[in-house]
Amino acid sequence: MAPAPGTTAGAPVRRLTVLYDAECSLCTHVRDWLLRQPRLVPLDLVPAGSDEARERFPGLDHAAALDEVTAVGDAGQVYRGAAAWVVVLWALRGYRRLSHRLSTPAGAALARGAVLAAARWRAGQRPPGGRAYRRADGWVYDPRLGWLYTGPGCDGGACATG
């Protein structure tokens, strides 16, 4: 559960921001569950790739945050994938002991397996032929291109501007 390389190694975590995919039903279910849990460390839950996430963390790879759960500590620590889940569990009153077990070599393998299972399920929910996340309002996030609007009147990649 080590933070990303840099000056934040060893800095205490007093608050966490969890970036989650707001278009993923599993991710929003977990977000709702997290909101109901008593916490030892405050959690902010922010949609990955959102304007708020980009404002808070301008140097973060936001496309990667849409691909895997990312938690950012208040001193700039960045946790991804299984390490993010372990640190989020660590922040919850009822799950801190479990987080310590998952931070051992054997527990880390279990945490990685759970994250891989969730990723596989999420992959099955994506539209065929692509990694793009589509919203009902016409916006599409393509990790290679960023956010694109594909709503009515935007056939062929050109949108009417009124």
Side-chain angles (χ1 to χ4, degrees), residues 86 89-90 94-104 107 110:
V86 172
L89 289 173
W90 172 84
Y95 294 89
R96 185 159 282 184
R97 289 179 63 193
L98 175 61
S99 76
H100 287 291
R101 286 190 212 121
L102 292 174
S103 67
T104 67
L110 179 63

Side-chain angles (χ1 to χ4, degrees), residues 12-17 41-44 56 72-75 77 90:
V13 176
R14 294 191 175 103
R15 181 176 210 94
L16 282 169
T17 300
V41 174
L43 294 178
D44 297 323
R56 284 186 181 206
V72 182
D74 57 321
Q77 309 94 325
W90 172 84

Side-chain angles (χ1 to χ4, degrees), residues 24-37:
C24 163
S25 62
L26 175 62
C27 305
T28 57
H29 175 78
V30 171
R31 176 210 55 207
D32 294 344
W33 177 81
L34 287 170
L35 289 170
R36 293 189 306 270
Q37 300 307 306

Side-chain angles (χ1 to χ4, degrees), residues 30-80:
V30 171
R31 176 210 55 207
D32 294 344
W33 177 81
L34 287 170
L35 289 170
R36 293 189 306 270
Q37 300 307 306
R39 298 175 208 120
L40 296 169
V41 174
L43 294 178
D44 297 323
L45 293 116
V46 175
S50 67
D51 290 341
E52 180 180 357
R54 290 179 189 286
E55 287 174 25
R56 284 186 181 206
F57 312 110
L60 190 68
D61 180 350
H62 292 277
L66 272 169
D67 279 341
E68 62 181 340
V69 65
T70 301
V72 182
D74 57 321
Q77 309 94 325
V78 178
Y79 305 88
R80 295 191 186 279

Side-chain angles (χ1 to χ4, degrees), residues 111-137:
R112 272 192 306 277
V115 168
L116 290 172
R120 182 172 211 131
W121 183 87
R122 286 184 68 214
Q125 304 304 305
R126 292 185 181 136
R131 294 176 46 194
Y133 295 87
R134 299 183 188 286
R135 294 181 12 174
D137 63 1

